[in-house]
Amino acid sequence: MQDHKPAADAASPQLPKAPTGISGLDEITEGGLPLGRPTLVCGSAGCGKTLMAMEFLVRGATEFGEAGVFMAFEETAEELTANVASLGFDLPALQAAGKLRVDHVHVDRSEIEETGEYDLEGLFIRLGYAIDSIGAKRVVLDTIESLFSGFPNQAVLRSEIRRLFRWLKDKGVTTIITAERGDGTLTRQGLEEYVSDCVILLDNRIIDQITTRRLRIVKYRGSTHGTNEYPYLITEEGIAVLPVTSLQLNHEVSDRIVSSGIPDLDEMFGLRGFYEGSSILVTGTAGTAKTTLGAAFAQAVCRRGERCLMFVFEESPQQLIRNMRSVGIDLASFVEQGLLRIEASRPTLNGLERHLVTIHKQVTGFRPAAVVIDPISNLITVGNVNEVRSMLTRLIDFLKVNGITALFTALVNTRPGQNEMAEEGVSSLVDAWISVRDLEGIGERNRGISILKARGMAHSNKVREFIVTPQGIELLDVVIGPAGIVTGASRLTQQLQEQAQVLVAQQDLERRDRELERRRRVLEANIANLRTEFESVEEELRQINTEEESRQQALVTGKKRITGAFPQNQSSSAT
């Protein structure tokens, strides 16, 4: 007998979801709240339960075309309208357009005790009418404790809670029910979290005198979701959730190279600059010109006609502009042209998440090509190393996704036992790491710069001395002494010694040339004398040869004469 198996490649059905429109929440819930099911939002006082529920309805009406009903048991419609107006939510306009209905139900336990038994039939009728009157797809019940305060019998209370959640499911509306935090339980009744399909826990805590809000998805039936605690803020535009998991490592990259603003520093990189969209960290001790390096980079961005956004935590914009003017960096003109925006505040003004949201809003509104933050080490005053690292991770990923080049400066401590936020928490996140430091010599302090890392390109391994001049930063050539690199006065001494050595060598070479010339002349004179002597000997030999030839010629002639005087025949006859 053959077994019949389902196809392995059959697509699994996905749970239908209703997007909330709340920044970040849809990402950690992977699409929104369960469609047509109740979601419980619980937390202590002041954590933003009512605001989140109201924003869920407003976003649904304005962005997704789904009308909603807000059933309040504590605040009146007028109070709700006034409270959310500061966030830009115009409830009267939505109600007039038939997209929203706000209803207030007053529940007084003393009145219930006088009239007798209490159940939810009246609520079902009233809520059903409100839903049908505008065709609502979304419902909010705020808060459930007030609704069930009239149930003295716990068994009846639990039965009615189950009946309420079942009625909402049968109605097919996506519902948010808010509840207050219980003692040892998520809610006061301890049952709502079990009958809800999705439970969101909001927490409002104080850490080092700074308010920090956290959100956690406790359960989500039928769907995967982010399980961590995520910071969220109540901003001028509503709730903002900032999860790390919302920013995946799948962003596009660019091969374009941008300048650091310092030509000599560009030469230390194999491709003469940074990759566009990369993140650069500049670390160093106090007084090593980190801010100047950041301002030079910002100036280079603006000179290309692109926008740059600077966040400074130690100086006012006016002070920064004045100080940079003294080193030949003119930021004021770019501010006037609208190419440069400088945002200055103390780190302790807000928590880490508020700073992150502020940067998000400024980047979204200004749309810069580059961002400079000076210095990120000041953020350690409003959070520990792990919190700052988490915040910077989200920030760096956000900038990378948007193709924005980021330059961060950070102060490092040289004292033993100090916790190095930059090296432990940030250096592994960035694409390029530039270190500036003190190079102490004999009675003086100089500055050195080196590149510790540069992803995707070769870079110099030298430590270059640099100086800050009225024309900007200038990198000096490397001078090697007997004990290594020399800087400052030692550099000048070394250069003078090298110049003196060159001069001595040159003089010695000139002396050798003169001696060679003198010897050449003496040798040429000797050669001339030998040539003259040779010519004399040659002339004498020639004369001797001439005389010997004449003598031989005379002998020959004499013999001929003698032979002619005594003929051969006479000699014979005489014989």
Side-chain angles (χ1 to χ4, degrees), residues 107-118 147 149-151:
V107 178
D108 191 335
R109 182 167 184 175
S110 61
E111 295 179 359
I112 296 171
E113 292 175 350
E114 293 176 359
T115 57
E117 294 296 331
Y118 173 71
L147 179 62
S149 62
F151 288 96

Side-chain angles (χ1 to χ4, degrees), residues 507-562:
Q507 291 174 348
D508 184 65
L509 181 61
E510 291 176 353
R511 182 185 60 79
R512 290 173 182 271
D513 289 342
R514 289 194 300 271
E515 179 66 18
L516 181 62
E517 180 65 21
R518 185 184 65 79
R519 289 186 178 185
R520 185 182 64 78
R521 290 196 298 268
V522 171
L523 183 59
E524 288 179 351
N526 291 335
I527 292 174
N529 292 334
L530 290 174
R531 183 178 290 111
T532 302
E533 184 178 353
F534 174 76
E535 290 176 352
S536 299
V537 173
E538 183 183 29
E539 181 65 25
E540 182 177 356
L541 291 174
R542 187 180 296 112
Q543 182 67 29
I544 292 172
N545 290 335
T546 301
E547 292 176 356
E548 180 65 21
E549 290 177 357
S550 299
R551 190 177 66 81
Q552 293 292 335
Q553 184 68 30
L555 289 174
V556 172
T557 303
K559 286 182 178 182
K560 289 181 178 182
R561 287 178 180 177
I562 294 173

Side-chain angles (χ1 to χ4, degrees), residues 257 268-275 453-459:
I257 300 299
M268 296 181 68
F269 289 90
L271 298 179
R272 306 296 188 270
F274 312 129
Y275 280 118
K453 66 181 286 190
R455 289 173 178 163
M457 68 176 72
H459 59 87

Side-chain angles (χ1 to χ4, degrees), residues 23-37:
S23 175
L25 183 58
D26 289 337
E27 297 172 359
I28 61 176
T29 56
E30 299 185 4
L33 304 183
L35 183 67
R37 299 185 183 186

Side-chain angles (χ1 to χ4, degrees), residues 176-219:
I176 285 183
I177 299 173
T178 66
E180 295 180 4
R181 189 77 178 267
D183 186 11
T185 58
L186 294 179
T187 61
R188 290 186 181 180
Q189 309 301 334
L191 178 66
E192 299 92 322
E193 58 264 36
Y194 296 102
V195 295
S196 300
D197 289 84
C198 178
V199 178
I200 300 175
L201 176 62
L202 305 182
D203 184 29
N204 187 16
R205 66 189 73 165
I206 303 296
I207 302 176
D208 295 331
Q209 302 180 0
I210 297 175
T211 300
T212 305
R213 293 183 171 92
R214 294 287 188 269
L215 178 148
R216 180 165 65 94
I217 310 297
V218 178
K219 64 180 284 190

